[in-house]
Amino acid sequence: MRRFLLLSLAGGTLLALTAFRLPLGVAAAADRQPAKELSVGNALVLGLIEGITEYLPISSTGHLIVANHVMHLDSDAPLVDADGQLLWYKAPSAKHPVGEPLTLKLAADTYSIVIQFGAILAVGLLYWPQLLGICLGLLGRDPAGLRLLRNLMVAFVPAAVVGLLLNHWIDDHLFSVAAVVTAQISGAVLMLAAERWRKKCATSANAVLNPADLPARRALGIGLMQCLALWPGTSRSMTTIVGGYFAGLEPARAAEFSFLLGFVTLTAATLYKGLQSGAAMVAVFGWAHVLLGIIVATVAAAAAVKFLVNYLSRHGLSVFAWYRFAVASVLIALYLV
């Protein structure tokens, strides 16, 4: 069954990547050479950053935005083909009279989302018993698995709705170093407050030993916290772990629920972004480095998940808050002063 789940995840990845070739106003990516080569080094760095930071409460999106800036992958200049002809993300039409040119930034932002498939695969590898329990719950053979699925769906819905409503506004206004700095500092303050609350105010009466046993209203509270992570740099992992604290979960269990909720949320977000802009990304970078980034992210994310669970059980979130303050300080010094 473990092999079946892993093969299913890998198959889903390949199907989603194949779907990126659907018509999106961009010529089929396999029919021509990439417009802008992504180096092996860049692909490795982005894959490592995604894998290490996706489940640590420090924001993968924020780190990837900064990495794209450092590696000069955030240019808004229109791209042209070998013949000097303008490449279009959305060609001029009655709906889009002036069209939307294809840019390196659009491709890089999409790449940063698509390599989240690596983090999804890592959770599938490490938490296959829980995923199996969910499948058995759907068949009426595991009540706890069915309750866990209910809680994950309840927690998933708020961010899914808000994300769909604000997707374009977020892409247009919040993918910047300044937005990341704001989110890093705000998130650090929230983490320190949550850690202090957990140590001084949490009571055994509020405790829940297993994510499957969360009341639906507490799962909804975690889902509402996850909405904060739509601001790049906040960290989906951070908001859901903090939400787990407030819901009564111990740190390791809060992390477990966060990872499983990430499995659902990241799958939805990656498929949505991939179908929306994946063909444009592949037209710019080609296939090889997209797959390389996913593979690297899978290995790195698996290691990060195991580290975080062990670390949180002993030390809590505080060190990650101070790390976020340090990152914000460096970014302010380098880019905003």
Side-chain angles (χ1 to χ4, degrees), residues 244-262:
Y245 278 13
F246 294 148
L249 294 171
E250 289 297 315
R253 291 297 194 177
E256 177 184 325
F257 189 77
S258 172
F259 300 150
L260 292 171
L261 180 56

Side-chain angles (χ1 to χ4, degrees), residues 62 65-66 105 170 173-181 232:
I65 289 172
V66 173
K105 184 179 188 303
I170 291 171
H173 298 282
L174 296 183
F175 274 74
S176 67
V177 174
V180 170
V181 168

Side-chain angles (χ1 to χ4, degrees), residues 98-329:
V98 298
E100 184 176 346
L102 186 54
T103 67
L104 183 59
K105 184 179 188 303
L106 186 150
D109 287 346
T110 302
Y111 185 88
S112 297
I113 301 297
V114 168
I115 58 174
Q116 289 176 345
F117 267 120
I120 296 167
L121 290 170
V123 169
L125 175 66
L126 295 174
Y127 286 91
W128 67 269
Q130 288 86 339
L131 297 176
L132 175 59
I134 287 172
C135 294
L136 293 176
L138 288 171
L139 298 175
R141 297 170 56 188
D142 189 332
L146 189 59
R147 293 196 306 273
L148 177 58
L149 176 61
R150 177 206 64 188
N151 287 340
L152 291 173
M153 290 299 101
V154 168
F156 166 72
V157 168
V161 173
V162 176
L164 285 173
L165 292 175
L166 298 181
N167 175 62
H168 294 296
W169 187 88
I170 291 171
D171 286 348
D172 291 342
H173 298 282
L174 296 183
F175 274 74
S176 67
V177 174
V180 170
V181 168
T182 300
Q184 287 283 328
I185 294 173
S186 301
V189 172
L190 175 61
M191 290 165 71
L192 291 175
E195 195 63 46
R196 182 173 181 178
W197 177 88
R198 181 181 71 85
K199 292 177 179 179
K200 292 189 176 181
C201 303
T203 64
S204 58
N206 188 53
V208 179
L209 297 179
N210 193 307
D213 297 328
L214 281 172
R217 67 181 183 279
R218 295 192 191 180
L220 178 61
I222 297 174
L224 293 173
M225 288 290 295
Q226 185 174 225
C227 292
L228 299 175
L230 293 171
W231 185 295
T234 301
S235 172
R236 189 206 57 79
S237 177
M238 181 275 291
T239 59
T240 51
I241 291 174
V242 168
Y245 278 13
F246 294 148
L249 294 171
E250 289 297 315
R253 291 297 194 177
E256 177 184 325
F257 189 77
S258 172
F259 300 150
L260 292 171
L261 180 56
F263 183 89
V264 178
T265 304
L266 296 179
T267 298
T270 306
L271 286 173
Y272 177 79
K273 191 69 174 181
L275 292 172
Q276 185 183 53
S277 308
M281 173 194 64
V282 176
V284 176
F285 294 147
W287 281 99
H289 294 150
V290 175
L291 296 174
L292 176 61
I294 290 173
I295 292 169
V296 172
T298 302
V299 176
V305 164
K306 296 188 75 172
F307 161 77
L308 183 61
V309 170
N310 292 330
Y311 187 89
L312 285 180
S313 298
R314 299 192 302 271
H315 306 293
L317 286 170
S318 296
V319 69
F320 299 106
W322 294 112
Y323 171 84
R324 292 171 70 105
F325 282 130
V327 169
S329 298

Side-chain angles (χ1 to χ4, degrees), residues 74-116:
D74 56 354
S75 172
D76 285 317
L79 296 174
V80 297
D81 62 18
D83 299 323
Q85 298 297 311
L86 195 65
L87 295 173
W88 294 100
Y89 170 52
K90 295 178 181 177
S93 64
K95 185 176 180 181
H96 303 282
V98 298
E100 184 176 346
L102 186 54
T103 67
L104 183 59
K105 184 179 188 303
L106 186 150
D109 287 346
T110 302
Y111 185 88
S112 297
I113 301 297
V114 168
I115 58 174
Q116 289 176 345

Side-chain angles (χ1 to χ4, degrees), residues 9-46:
L9 288 168
T13 300
L14 292 175
L15 285 173
L17 290 173
T18 301
F20 294 168
R21 297 185 61 192
L22 292 172
L24 290 171
V26 180
D31 296 337
R32 56 184 171 142
Q33 293 298 313
K36 179 84 172 180
E37 189 68 25
L38 181 71
S39 71
V40 171
N42 286 352
L44 288 172
V45 168
L46 293 174

